[in-house]
Amino acid sequence: MNPLKFITPRRLTVGLIILLGLSLRLWGIAWGPQEAGALHPGEWTWQIIEGLSFSLPSFPGIWTQAFFSLAALLKGMAAAIIGWVQVLLGEAHTTGEIVLSSRMAGRLTIAFLGTGQVLLVYLVGRRLFDSVGTGLLAAALAAVNPLLVANCHYLSLDIPLGFAVLGCLWVISRLLETPRAGLMFAAGVVLGLTVTTKASGVFAAPLVLAAYLWSAQQAHMPASRRLFIWPLSLLLGLLIGLVLGYPGFVVEADQAREVLRGSLNPPSLPSQQWLSYLGQRWKDSTALLGGVLGLEIPLLWLAGVALLIWKREF
């Protein structure tokens, strides 16, 4: 069997785009304040990665720790692998002599997730538009996008959240084509991990719910499967995803309840100040959109929605 027959021009192009994206995200990953000018405000979160382990799977006061748990796992695995290599080469006596800094482990995890975004963008774009060319173009744009590349050099939750949301979209696209219990379970797991990555990931929940309702309505299957097995699979996956993202839901249930209550409660303001509070939030959001991010992102988003509607891919 000739393995080269599996290396099609499409796969080779995707591989080169992913390699380009990974190279850009790894370049300058070790920069400090002198090279970068300033560190990201979220760089302090290396302390969360430092404080996580198998014996302490949750960090006090934070329930959105899916990314930090993954970074802590990567830190331990990388240190073990590098340690064994150093021992085999005779450059270290024990594997415990090798320690990877928590900040570097977090940045490496973000770089890998950012590279994974490139692959997911290709998969989602190809599936939604039924076009390999569209998927390749979208992946190329994601690979070299300056904002995405720059955010991969810091401990910022925006890249992990984007990866998780893209994962939701990919599972949803598969679910709409071939609905089954396994994909419902996968959608629940990914949704749970998305929510425990960043609180704003909860906005992916309506998409998953809409995908289930659409699949249940369109599928020609027994009602017991559509109305019982599928929702049960989705709920079970969601619970597992939430626990994987924040083990404190199980190991520290009382503390998790207090953390959720403190983070989800709205600000205690007098009724007459709510309008001014919401107005200020709206003003800050529009200033961020117009000044830092620019209007290109919402315009491109609207153009994408228009193309989906025009092609009836919804």
Side-chain angles (χ1 to χ4, degrees):
M1 183 178 62
N2 184 13
L4 295 178
K5 69 177 182 180
F6 297 103
I7 306 178
T8 62
R10 178 191 64 191
R11 293 176 179 174
L12 180 61
T13 305
V14 173
L16 291 175
I17 292 174
I18 292 175
L19 183 61
L20 172 63
L22 178 62
S23 302
L24 291 175
R25 284 155 177 80
L26 291 179
W27 178 70
I29 197 173
W31 283 358
Q34 294 181 349
E35 296 88 352
L39 292 178
H40 191 275
E43 288 285 287
W44 70 270
T45 54
W46 68 267
Q47 302 173 53
I48 302 178
I49 302 173
E50 185 75 19
L52 292 175
S53 63
F54 285 110
S55 58
L56 295 172
S58 62
F59 192 83
I62 295 178
W63 63 275
T64 51
Q65 66 169 55
F67 159 72
F68 304 113
S69 299
L70 179 62
L73 180 62
L74 176 66
K75 175 186 174 182
M77 293 176 58
I81 294 174
I82 296 174
W84 277 110
V85 172
Q86 296 287 349
V87 170
L88 291 176
L89 294 178
E91 298 181 4
H93 296 289
T94 62
T95 58
E97 298 179 19
I98 307 300
V99 178
L100 180 66
S101 72
S102 297
R103 179 180 282 112
M104 182 57 64
R107 289 184 177 184
L108 281 173
T109 306
I110 287 182
F112 292 145
L113 293 178
T115 306
Q117 277 187 342
V118 178
L119 176 60
L120 287 175
V121 164
Y122 164 73
L123 294 174
V124 172
R126 185 191 67 177
R127 189 170 295 273
L128 288 181
F129 291 94
D130 194 23
S131 169
V132 173
T134 301
L136 291 175
L137 179 60
L141 290 174
V144 301
N145 183 278
L147 180 62
L148 296 179
V149 172
N151 275 333
C152 286
H153 292 154
Y154 305 103
L155 288 180
S156 167
L157 289 179
D158 296 328
I159 294 298
L161 178 63
F163 177 84
V165 171
L166 283 170
C168 282
L169 291 178
W170 182 68
V171 175
I172 287 173
S173 66
R174 295 284 307 275
L175 190 60
L176 293 177
E177 287 186 0
T178 56
R180 57 181 185 270
L183 286 175
M184 290 290 177
F185 176 80
V189 172
V190 176
L191 178 60
L193 292 173
T194 303
V195 173
T196 51
T197 296
K198 197 172 182 179
S200 54
V202 72
F203 291 105
L207 299 177
V208 177
L209 179 60
Y212 160 70
L213 294 175
W214 175 268
S215 301
Q217 182 182 12
Q218 298 295 322
H220 301 286
M221 293 185 179
S224 60
R225 179 174 300 181
R226 292 183 287 113
L227 303 179
F228 178 72
I229 296 180
W230 286 2
L232 188 62
S233 300
L234 182 61
L235 181 60
L236 179 61
L238 177 61
L239 293 176
I240 291 178
L242 291 174
V243 172
L244 287 175
Y246 179 56
F249 285 131
V250 175
V251 298
E252 297 177 352
D254 295 335
Q255 179 182 343
R257 191 179 302 110
E258 294 298 326
V259 172
L260 284 174
R261 185 180 295 113
S263 61
L264 299 180
N265 281 345
S268 56
L269 295 174
S271 57
Q272 62 270 20
Q273 295 185 14
W274 266 102
L275 289 179
S276 60
Y277 169 76
L278 294 176
Q280 185 62 38
R281 292 297 299 268
W282 173 257
K283 182 179 178 181
D284 295 342
S285 300
T286 53
L288 178 65
L289 184 63
V292 179
L293 299 180
L295 297 176
E296 295 86 355
I297 293 178
L299 289 177
L300 287 173
W301 184 83
L302 291 175
V305 172
L307 284 172
L308 287 174
I309 295 175
W310 178 60
K311 291 177 64 65
R312 299 183 182 275
E313 295 286 346
F314 54 85

